[in-house]
Amino acid sequence: MSASSAAAPVSRQQIPARDRLIVALDVPDVAAARAMTRRLGDAVTFYKIGMELAYGGGLPLVGELAAEGRQVFVDLKLHDISNTVEKATARIAGLGGRFLTVHAYPQTMRAAARGRGDSPLQILGVTVMTSYDDAELLEAGYAAGVRDTVALRARQAREAGVDGLVLSAGETAEIRPIVGDGMLLVTPGIRPAGADVGDQKRVVTPGQAIRNGADYLVVGRPVTGAADPRAAAEAIVAEIAAALEAR
Ligand code: C5P
């Protein structure tokens, strides 16, 4: 079993293949989450608790999973005035998770970086949702398009002192030189070949994501919606391991 959430993170290049798979526990309540983690067993070492489960009473699971030796990504995508983001981040830091997301607005990222203080919590800036394409960004009032918006927010994330970014694995190769070697690139929108895309737009296979330089892969429905979630997770870990060998 990997180290607990509070353990010092290993360097980006040394992360074992299994620990690079983050399974999104997008289920309605704690009972469903526990049922899924039981089914996945030792196949999965890193879980993501997002809005659905958190608002369904799932936040205590952060500490519970961490106590079991799992790493936990608290995906709450904070965005509010600085004072609120800073104080909320400080509260979340006490839960025992490894990652927390905030939207990649400069003020918001700076506030979260202050709020986590000396805790081991790492802040990830969400650049542009992987369910958005250029047309949907334009509809929301952003004329610059996905590529330029992600690049702008990556530069701002570096300046704000956060630890990493959430972005599509189609963008990681272009963004790495902007953020430098130290920052973590975490990629949702992952779909094994032939899997249902659902509402995601900018999708990449697990192997391609690793070849593109992603550090962590967030996968929800392709694992949790599979007939055999454990086998689906193992297949993704094997694909990650093979891609790492070739990297
Ligand atoms: O089921 P699926 O693999 O599409 O789940 C992806 C997960 O990653 C979801 O929990 C979603 O909230 C999250 N996510 C995302 N795009 C982002 C940030 C987070 O899909 N930009």
Side-chain angles (χ1 to χ4, degrees):
M1 190 59 53
S2 71
S4 83
S5 281
V10 293
S11 88
R12 282 199 313 108
Q13 288 76 11
Q14 292 165 341
I15 307 163
R18 190 173 301 282
D19 293 353
R20 291 174 185 265
L21 169 63
I22 303 177
V23 170
L25 286 172
D26 291 331
V27 294
D29 54 38
V30 170
R34 287 204 184 108
M36 183 51 66
T37 59
R38 265 198 305 275
R39 283 186 83 178
L40 290 167
D42 289 343
V44 173
T45 61
F46 210 145
Y47 285 105
K48 182 171 89 66
I49 295 180
M51 291 190 206
E52 182 184 1
L53 180 54
Y55 291 133
L59 275 185
L61 267 183
V62 177
E64 233 176 79
L65 288 168
E68 289 170 12
R70 264 65 177 181
Q71 304 195 78
V72 187
F73 173 176
V74 187
D75 186 19
L76 295 181
K77 299 187 180 70
L78 304 186
H79 187 206
D80 207 313
I81 61 168
S82 294
N83 181 57
T84 304
V85 169
E86 182 175 342
K87 288 178 178 162
T89 302
R91 303 302 303 162
I92 293 163
L95 298 176
R98 162 90 190 275
F99 293 152
L100 168 69
T101 40
V102 303
H103 282 279
Y105 285 71
Q107 200 184 83
T108 302
M109 292 190 286
R110 285 194 294 269
R114 283 195 302 275
R116 62 107 187 271
D118 296 331
S119 76
L121 184 71
Q122 293 184 297
I123 307 296
L124 305 178
V126 180
T127 54
V128 175
M129 295 301 165
T130 44
S131 60
Y132 274 62
D133 57 19
D134 285 346
E136 275 152 334
L137 260 194
L138 184 63
E139 188 187 7
Y142 298 93
V146 170
R147 213 172 143 197
D148 289 350
T149 306
V150 172
L152 171 70
R153 291 180 176 173
R155 278 192 292 279
Q156 292 170 333
R158 186 177 186 174
E159 282 160 22
V162 300
D163 304 284
L165 291 174
V166 179
L167 71 172
S168 161
E171 291 134 24
T172 46
E174 204 168 321
I175 292 305
R176 174 59 69 196
I178 295 177
V179 295
D181 199 40
M183 213 179 256
L184 298 170
L185 299 182
V186 178
T187 62
I190 299 296
R191 290 293 179 270
D196 193 6
V197 168
D199 59 346
Q200 297 282 16
K201 296 276 160 56
R202 287 145 49 223
V203 299
V204 174
T205 65
Q208 192 59 49
I210 292 293
R211 285 190 289 277
N212 288 358
D215 298 309
Y216 290 95
L217 278 49
V218 176
V219 187
R221 291 162 288 183
V223 169
T224 57
D228 184 344
R230 188 178 173 119
E234 288 291 6
I236 293 170
V237 171
E239 195 175 329
I240 293 172
L244 283 172
E245 293 270 307
R247 194 154 93 166

